[in-house]
Amino acid sequence: MGSDYEVLRGYVIGSGSDSNQQKAPEGQVRLEITHSVLSDDTLGANNYKNFHLNLTVKEFKEKLYRFVGTEPKYMTLVIREQNKITEIKKLDDEEKTLEQYQIQDGLNVHIIDNDPNNYISELQDTSKVEKATMTDEEYNKREGTYKKWIEEQQKSNTNTSTATTATTSTPEVTIKVGDRCQVTSDDPNNYDIRLGTVSYSGTTEFSSGHWIGVTLDLPLGKNDGSVKGKRYFECSPKYGCFVKPSNVIVGDFPEEEI
């Protein structure tokens, strides 16, 4: 039986089988990344990544280096089952590709850090790092900040929605199921952007008006496509969210990749 932490983590981000439902595009493989020094908390909820199957192990290590910071020469890569316990194989031939190793969606790639200088451990000790600070007043005076960009996008969406309402009693929603999109927040202090795919567009039983249901790329949502017992679309737990059309920006947004 797993620890209380593992049970809680499984509940929050979903089990390995849930993550497996988020299939990688053709020619790629979706893997969970873990590290012998970095904890799951440090890696965050986005430790599922897509990789091209034609990557050699050497190239694969370079990709992982950008994510975890361990130099490729100090890496030992172990492929494990979704339970992160059962070892399948070591990737010890740097010229072989992931496809030649027959790597499949949903497996766990565990990085063993052999750095004799314990570089990653030193990086995790933030007590010695001087923190950069900036007051809200100083930040608000700066031009081209992410906050101002979000405010401009929300203002633009609001103006568009108001203009449409003025000309017709039923605003037209042009967002379609299958559209790639970016989801923003109504909270002016929340600047996080979530990417996903539109999975539902229409009215709902939980609230009046038109709603957009989105299957997110990462487990940053609140549901599995159902609300209060009513199902509107299918997705893994924590990968679904419902937002107003004004909070959705449609565009050619590729799924996050290292």
Side-chain angles (χ1 to χ4, degrees):
M1 181 178 295
S3 66
D4 291 342
Y5 171 79
E6 291 170 336
V7 172
L8 178 61
R9 181 175 185 271
Y11 174 78
V12 172
I13 70 171
S15 65
S17 58
D18 289 334
S19 299
N20 216 7
Q21 295 177 20
Q22 298 293 314
K23 296 293 185 182
E26 184 176 355
Q28 299 183 34
V29 64
R30 190 170 184 82
L31 302 172
E32 180 184 18
I33 303 168
T34 55
H35 193 277
S36 63
V37 177
L38 299 174
S39 66
D40 290 336
D41 286 338
T42 303
L43 291 175
N46 64 337
N47 59 337
Y48 279 90
K49 301 292 183 183
N50 294 340
F51 301 93
H52 288 280
L53 284 166
N54 60 4
L55 287 175
T56 64
V57 172
K58 181 179 180 180
E59 294 168 332
F60 185 38
K61 286 183 176 181
E62 290 289 344
K63 294 274 188 180
L64 294 173
Y65 168 55
R66 302 173 200 171
F67 182 54
V68 301
T70 298
E71 292 187 51
K73 63 183 178 181
Y74 295 132
M75 284 185 189
T76 297
L77 301 184
V78 179
I79 298 298
R80 305 186 299 189
E81 295 282 3
Q82 294 178 19
N83 60 21
K84 295 186 285 189
I85 297 174
T86 307
E87 181 178 322
I88 300 175
K89 64 188 75 175
K90 283 186 173 68
L91 304 187
D92 48 15
D93 186 340
E94 295 206 337
E95 299 307 315
K96 273 191 176 182
T97 65
L98 299 185
E99 185 172 26
Q100 288 174 319
Y101 269 111
Q102 299 180 323
I103 306 302
Q104 299 177 350
D105 271 338
L107 294 177
N108 165 239
V109 53
H110 185 59
I111 304 166
I112 300 175
D113 188 315
N114 302 307
D115 186 353
N117 299 313
N118 295 318
Y119 175 67
I120 298 299
S121 296
E122 289 292 328
L123 284 180
Q124 291 195 94
D125 183 5
T126 60
S127 63
K128 303 176 183 177
V129 180
E130 183 178 351
K131 306 298 189 298
T133 60
M134 180 184 295
T135 65
D136 290 342
E137 183 180 0
E138 291 173 327
Y139 182 75
N140 290 332
K141 288 180 180 178
R142 302 187 68 175
E143 296 296 329
T145 63
Y146 184 60
K147 178 182 179 181
K148 288 188 176 180
W149 181 82
I150 287 293
E151 291 173 347
E152 289 172 2
Q153 292 295 318
Q154 292 177 339
K155 182 178 179 180
S156 175
N157 288 336
T158 300
N159 291 340
T160 301
S161 176
T162 302
T164 305
T165 303
T167 57
T168 176
S169 58
T170 305
E172 180 183 2
V173 178
T174 59
I175 301 169
K176 306 183 300 300
V177 171
D179 284 344
R180 287 290 296 169
C181 67
Q182 176 177 280
V183 179
T184 61
S185 172
D186 283 323
D187 182 354
N189 296 315
N190 182 356
Y191 313 127
D192 290 340
I193 283 182
R194 295 175 291 173
L195 300 181
T197 303
V198 176
S199 298
Y200 179 81
S201 177
T203 58
T204 66
E205 293 181 4
F206 60 80
S207 184
S208 61
H210 198 105
W211 289 85
I212 304 297
V214 179
T215 298
L216 300 170
D217 291 347
L218 299 172
L220 302 174
K222 295 183 177 180
N223 55 62
D224 62 351
S226 63
V227 178
K228 295 182 179 180
K230 170 71 173 179
R231 178 162 297 285
Y232 299 93
F233 62 95
E234 296 279 351
C235 72
S236 300
K238 300 296 180 181
Y239 278 85
C241 73
F242 285 89
V243 293
K244 286 295 187 180
S246 60
N247 293 99
V248 175
I249 301 173
V250 173
D252 186 18
F253 300 107
E255 185 175 353
E256 181 186 24
E257 181 183 347
I258 298 177

